[in-house]
Amino acid sequence: PNPTAQLIQSLQNPNSIKTYVALVRGEGILHGEDLKTKGWFTIDRPIKDEKGRVRDAITEFRFLAGYTVVVLDELGSEDRGENGLKDKTPLSFKNKSANEPQPVRASVVLARPKTGRWHQIRRHLNGLSHPILGDSTHGNSKINREWREHRNMLGERTCLHLGRVQLVPTTVTMGVEDAGSTTNVLPNGLDVTCPIPRDMHDMIAVYMPQLLEEVIPLLAEEGITF
């Protein structure tokens, strides 16, 4: 069998799992609901393909952790107790100029597409009001510009990364018969991980260190290195 065709077939198998890591705008709250408490949940929302046809689209999401800077006005108190804030909650003040960057609000999200539609993850996250940072098509252009100009996001970066692929066994991933014997190389299929790109890591480490500390063990639970 053709190895490429076998791998494509394995990728398309519903039992194979592709886990993406996204850095999104927003702290993980939608209409008052904390998405971080939901664990894995499913979005089943049809989307149009590149030819304008409406297609079924299903994605599983897990919001791991969120980060926000609480904004006080110039007369606001910095006493965290009086404001009912945790000791480590970052504080800022309202911008005096519209040209100044907005306070950081971001989350790390895992995504597992169950269908392979055009820009599916990006569009579903935008529908959850948490667009991917750097997404020039479905994201927020003002926020993307602020991250590029003030927080070192690469100009070509869309903060969506395939962190782990788990493929079901095929004649390629299991091994093949050779000279009458079976070479059983990967009897359980293929499980490949790829660390988060350094530039995405640094965006979190420099501007949201508390988020980095919180998210590393949660990613490890899903078999993803950061």
Side-chain angles (χ1 to χ4, degrees), residues 69-83:
V69 175
V70 174
V71 181
L72 305 176
D73 60 33
E74 291 183 309
L75 298 178
S77 170
E78 289 187 89
D79 187 324
R80 297 167 194 268
E82 290 183 10
N83 284 282

PDB file of all heavy atoms in Angstrom, residues 69-83:
ATOM      1  N   VAL A  69      -5.888  41.458  33.224  1.00  0.00           N
ATOM      2  CA  VAL A  69      -5.444  42.549  34.084  1.00  0.00           C
ATOM      3  C   VAL A  69      -6.677  43.363  34.450  1.00  0.00           C
ATOM      4  O   VAL A  69      -7.386  43.856  33.575  1.00  0.00           O
ATOM      5  CB  VAL A  69      -4.412  43.445  33.376  1.00  0.00           C
ATOM      6  CG1 VAL A  69      -4.063  44.647  34.245  1.00  0.00           C
ATOM      7  CG2 VAL A  69      -3.154  42.651  33.054  1.00  0.00           C
ATOM      8  N   VAL A  70      -6.963  43.472  35.737  1.00  0.00           N
ATOM      9  CA  VAL A  70      -8.107  44.258  36.192  1.00  0.00           C
ATOM     10  C   VAL A  70      -7.784  45.738  36.034  1.00  0.00           C
ATOM     11  O   VAL A  70      -6.754  46.218  36.514  1.00  0.00           O
ATOM     12  CB  VAL A  70      -8.451  43.946  37.658  1.00  0.00           C
ATOM     13  CG1 VAL A  70      -9.549  44.872  38.161  1.00  0.00           C
ATOM     14  CG2 VAL A  70      -8.872  42.495  37.799  1.00  0.00           C
ATOM     15  N   VAL A  71      -8.658  46.457  35.333  1.00  0.00           N
ATOM     16  CA  VAL A  71      -8.414  47.867  35.035  1.00  0.00           C
ATOM     17  C   VAL A  71      -9.176  48.744  36.018  1.00  0.00           C
ATOM     18  O   VAL A  71     -10.391  48.641  36.167  1.00  0.00           O
ATOM     19  CB  VAL A  71      -8.844  48.198  33.593  1.00  0.00           C
ATOM     20  CG1 VAL A  71      -8.568  49.660  33.290  1.00  0.00           C
ATOM     21  CG2 VAL A  71      -8.119  47.300  32.613  1.00  0.00           C
ATOM     22  N   LEU A  72      -8.440  49.626  36.711  1.00  0.00           N
ATOM     23  CA  LEU A  72      -9.045  50.588  37.623  1.00  0.00           C
ATOM     24  C   LEU A  72      -8.981  51.970  36.996  1.00  0.00           C
ATOM     25  O   LEU A  72      -8.102  52.256  36.194  1.00  0.00           O
ATOM     26  CB  LEU A  72      -8.274  50.613  38.947  1.00  0.00           C
ATOM     27  CG  LEU A  72      -8.110  49.261  39.665  1.00  0.00           C
ATOM     28  CD1 LEU A  72      -7.250  49.459  40.903  1.00  0.00           C
ATOM     29  CD2 LEU A  72      -9.454  48.684  40.031  1.00  0.00           C
ATOM     30  N   ASP A  73      -9.936  52.819  37.365  1.00  0.00           N
ATOM     31  CA  ASP A  73      -9.796  54.194  36.890  1.00  0.00           C
ATOM     32  C   ASP A  73      -8.743  54.898  37.744  1.00  0.00           C
ATOM     33  O   ASP A  73      -8.197  54.343  38.689  1.00  0.00           O
ATOM     34  CB  ASP A  73     -11.137  54.934  36.928  1.00  0.00           C
ATOM     35  CG  ASP A  73     -11.739  55.002  38.324  1.00  0.00           C
ATOM     36  OD1 ASP A  73     -10.952  55.073  39.292  1.00  0.00           O
ATOM     37  OD2 ASP A  73     -12.969  54.989  38.431  1.00  0.00           O
ATOM     38  N   GLU A  74      -8.430  56.133  37.405  1.00  0.00           N
ATOM     39  CA  GLU A  74      -7.314  56.819  38.048  1.00  0.00           C
ATOM     40  C   GLU A  74      -7.552  57.051  39.535  1.00  0.00           C
ATOM     41  O   GLU A  74      -6.609  57.244  40.295  1.00  0.00           O
ATOM     42  CB  GLU A  74      -7.056  58.147  37.338  1.00  0.00           C
ATOM     43  CG  GLU A  74      -6.502  57.968  35.933  1.00  0.00           C
ATOM     44  CD  GLU A  74      -6.182  59.297  35.295  1.00  0.00           C
ATOM     45  OE1 GLU A  74      -7.063  60.165  35.299  1.00  0.00           O
ATOM     46  OE2 GLU A  74      -5.056  59.458  34.799  1.00  0.00           O
ATOM     47  N   LEU A  75      -8.797  57.008  39.959  1.00  0.00           N
ATOM     48  CA  LEU A  75      -9.108  57.202  41.366  1.00  0.00           C
ATOM     49  C   LEU A  75      -9.352  55.873  42.072  1.00  0.00           C
ATOM     50  O   LEU A  75      -9.650  55.849  43.254  1.00  0.00           O
ATOM     51  CB  LEU A  75     -10.356  58.095  41.509  1.00  0.00           C
ATOM     52  CG  LEU A  75     -10.210  59.504  40.931  1.00  0.00           C
ATOM     53  CD1 LEU A  75     -11.524  60.271  41.103  1.00  0.00           C
ATOM     54  CD2 LEU A  75      -9.063  60.262  41.596  1.00  0.00           C
ATOM     55  N   GLY A  76      -9.227  54.771  41.333  1.00  0.00           N
ATOM     56  CA  GLY A  76      -9.507  53.463  41.912  1.00  0.00           C
ATOM     57  C   GLY A  76      -8.474  53.081  42.955  1.00  0.00           C
ATOM     58  O   GLY A  76      -7.328  53.502  42.931  1.00  0.00           O
ATOM     59  N   SER A  77      -8.897  52.252  43.893  1.00  0.00           N
ATOM     60  CA  SER A  77      -8.003  51.817  44.954  1.00  0.00           C
ATOM     61  C   SER A  77      -7.117  50.694  44.472  1.00  0.00           C
ATOM     62  O   SER A  77      -7.537  49.840  43.698  1.00  0.00           O
ATOM     63  CB  SER A  77      -8.828  51.340  46.156  1.00  0.00           C
ATOM     64  OG  SER A  77      -7.997  50.706  47.091  1.00  0.00           O
ATOM     65  N   GLU A  78      -5.868  50.692  44.929  1.00  0.00           N
ATOM     66  CA  GLU A  78      -4.962  49.601  44.630  1.00  0.00           C
ATOM     67  C   GLU A  78      -4.993  48.542  45.724  1.00  0.00           C
ATOM     68  O   GLU A  78      -4.253  47.578  45.672  1.00  0.00           O
ATOM     69  CB  GLU A  78      -3.527  50.117  44.478  1.00  0.00           C
ATOM     70  CG  GLU A  78      -3.304  50.930  43.224  1.00  0.00           C
ATOM     71  CD  GLU A  78      -1.836  51.255  43.052  1.00  0.00           C
ATOM     72  OE1 GLU A  78      -1.113  50.449  42.426  1.00  0.00           O
ATOM     73  OE2 GLU A  78      -1.419  52.306  43.562  1.00  0.00           O
ATOM     74  N   ASP A  79      -5.844  48.737  46.715  1.00  0.00           N
ATOM     75  CA  ASP A  79      -5.962  47.749  47.788  1.00  0.00           C
ATOM     76  C   ASP A  79      -6.752  46.555  47.267  1.00  0.00           C
ATOM     77  O   ASP A  79      -7.948  46.639  47.034  1.00  0.00           O
ATOM     78  CB  ASP A  79      -6.701  48.389  48.985  1.00  0.00           C
ATOM     79  CG  ASP A  79      -6.697  47.463  50.196  1.00  0.00           C
ATOM     80  OD1 ASP A  79      -6.797  46.238  50.004  1.00  0.00           O
ATOM     81  OD2 ASP A  79      -6.588  47.985  51.313  1.00  0.00           O
ATOM     82  N   ARG A  80      -6.093  45.438  47.082  1.00  0.00           N
ATOM     83  CA  ARG A  80      -6.733  44.282  46.473  1.00  0.00           C
ATOM     84  C   ARG A  80      -7.849  43.745  47.367  1.00  0.00           C
ATOM     85  O   ARG A  80      -8.839  43.214  46.865  1.00  0.00           O
ATOM     86  CB  ARG A  80      -5.679  43.210  46.188  1.00  0.00           C
ATOM     87  CG  ARG A  80      -4.636  43.676  45.199  1.00  0.00           C
ATOM     88  CD  ARG A  80      -3.435  42.746  45.152  1.00  0.00           C
ATOM     89  NE  ARG A  80      -2.337  43.404  44.452  1.00  0.00           N
ATOM     90  CZ  ARG A  80      -2.124  43.277  43.151  1.00  0.00           C
ATOM     91  NH1 ARG A  80      -2.936  42.553  42.427  1.00  0.00           N
ATOM     92  NH2 ARG A  80      -1.118  43.901  42.567  1.00  0.00           N
ATOM     93  N   GLY A  81      -7.679  43.873  48.671  1.00  0.00           N
ATOM     94  CA  GLY A  81      -8.723  43.413  49.566  1.00  0.00           C
ATOM     95  C   GLY A  81     -10.009  44.194  49.376  1.00  0.00           C
ATOM     96  O   GLY A  81     -11.094  43.631  49.312  1.00  0.00           O
ATOM     97  N   GLU A  82      -9.907  45.515  49.265  1.00  0.00           N
ATOM     98  CA  GLU A  82     -11.096  46.345  49.092  1.00  0.00           C
ATOM     99  C   GLU A  82     -11.789  46.041  47.774  1.00  0.00           C
ATOM    100  O   GLU A  82     -12.999  46.184  47.645  1.00  0.00           O
ATOM    101  CB  GLU A  82     -10.709  47.823  49.136  1.00  0.00           C
ATOM    102  CG  GLU A  82     -10.287  48.301  50.526  1.00  0.00           C
ATOM    103  CD  GLU A  82      -9.977  49.774  50.522  1.00  0.00           C
ATOM    104  OE1 GLU A  82     -10.274  50.424  49.501  1.00  0.00           O
ATOM    105  OE2 GLU A  82      -9.447  50.269  51.523  1.00  0.00           O
ATOM    106  N   ASN A  83     -11.008  45.619  46.746  1.00  0.00           N
ATOM    107  CA  ASN A  83     -11.593  45.340  45.447  1.00  0.00           C
ATOM    108  C   ASN A  83     -12.016  43.883  45.303  1.00  0.00           C
ATOM    109  O   ASN A  83     -12.482  43.474  44.245  1.00  0.00           O
ATOM    110  CB  ASN A  83     -10.589  45.686  44.334  1.00  0.00           C
ATOM    111  CG  ASN A  83     -10.487  47.177  44.122  1.00  0.00           C
ATOM    112  OD1 ASN A  83     -11.344  47.767  43.493  1.00  0.00           O
ATOM    113  ND2 ASN A  83      -9.452  47.785  44.686  1.00  0.00           N
TER     114      ASN A  83
END
